[in-house]
Amino acid sequence: MEYRNMRRIFGALIFVLIAGAAILSSCEHHSFLVETVDPVDSVYFGAVIQPLLEKKCAACHGGSKDPDLRADRSYESLVSGDYVTLPAEESRLYRKVISSGHAAYTLPEEKLKILYWITQGAKNNK
Ligand code: HEC
C-alpha cells in the first residue's frame, strides 16, 4: 500500500477513536446524574421523596410489609424502623433500594434523591 494511503487510513482511525471517546465521555452516567440531582439543593421529603415512595413502593409496602410506605405513614415508619441512619450509603433504606432485588423499582436519579435526602438528615421537610 502507498505511504499516502496508509497515512489517510491512520488519520481516519485516530479521528474515529477521539470522536468515539468524546461521545462516550459526554454521556457518562455520573455526569448525567449530577446534572439531574443537585446535591447542594435540598431534597424535600414532602415534595420529592414521599411521592416517589408512594408511586414506586407502596403497591407492595402498603401496610402488611415493613416499612409501610404509604404517603401518610412512610416518614414515621422509616424513622421508627431505623431505615434512614447516617452514613446514608449504609442506611437500610438506601442499601435496600440499590440491592439486586429492589434496584429495578427506581431510576438511577431516584436512588440518588433518596441518598441525598438521607445525607441531608432525612428531614420531614416540605
Ligand atoms: C414488588 C413488590 C415490592 C416493591 C415494588 C418494593 N418492595 Fe421493598 N420489599 C418487598 C419484599 C417482598 C421485601 C422483603 C424481602 C426482601 O427483603 O427483599 C421488601 C423489603 C424491603 C425493605 C427491607 C425491610 C426490612 O425490614 O429489612 C426495604 C427497606 C424496602 N423493601 C424498601 C422498598 C422501597 C423504598 C421500595 C420502592 C422504591 C420498595 N421496597 C419496593 C417487596 C417490594
Side-chain angles (χ1 to χ4, degrees):
M1 201 188 299
E2 246 182 80
Y3 175 69
R4 220 155 45 120
N5 278 344
M6 275 179 69
R7 269 192 59 175
R8 267 205 204 116
I9 290 168
F10 190 67
L13 205 68
I14 294 285
F15 176 80
V16 166
L17 280 176
I18 291 173
I23 289 166
L24 276 180
S25 65
S26 73
C27 58
E28 193 194 323
H29 223 56
H30 192 67
S31 58
F32 163 73
L33 283 176
V34 168
E35 278 161 25
T36 314
V37 186
D38 184 348
V40 177
D41 246 13
S42 285
V43 179
Y44 294 100
F45 183 75
V48 178
I49 302 298
Q50 190 180 60
L52 194 166
L53 298 174
E54 175 72 23
K55 189 171 159 206
K56 301 287 175 91
C57 323
C60 296
H61 295 271
S64 53
K65 188 171 303 303
D66 273 348
D68 188 341
L69 297 175
R70 288 174 292 182
D72 56 335
R73 301 284 173 82
S74 53
Y75 188 77
E76 171 60 23
S77 62
L78 286 175
V79 170
S80 67
D82 261 342
Y83 288 104
V84 287
T85 51
L86 294 169
E89 300 79 37
E90 284 162 33
S91 64
R92 289 173 68 195
L93 178 62
Y94 183 68
R95 290 186 67 109
K96 194 68 194 183
V97 160
I98 62 168
S99 70
S100 56
H102 270 58
Y105 301 144
T106 46
L107 299 168
E109 60 263 36
E110 293 172 327
K111 292 176 176 65
L112 211 55
K113 283 174 184 169
I114 290 173
L115 180 69
Y116 288 155
W117 171 66
I118 302 170
T119 303
Q120 291 162 6
K123 294 185 196 124
N124 191 3
N125 49 9
K126 309 283 182 215

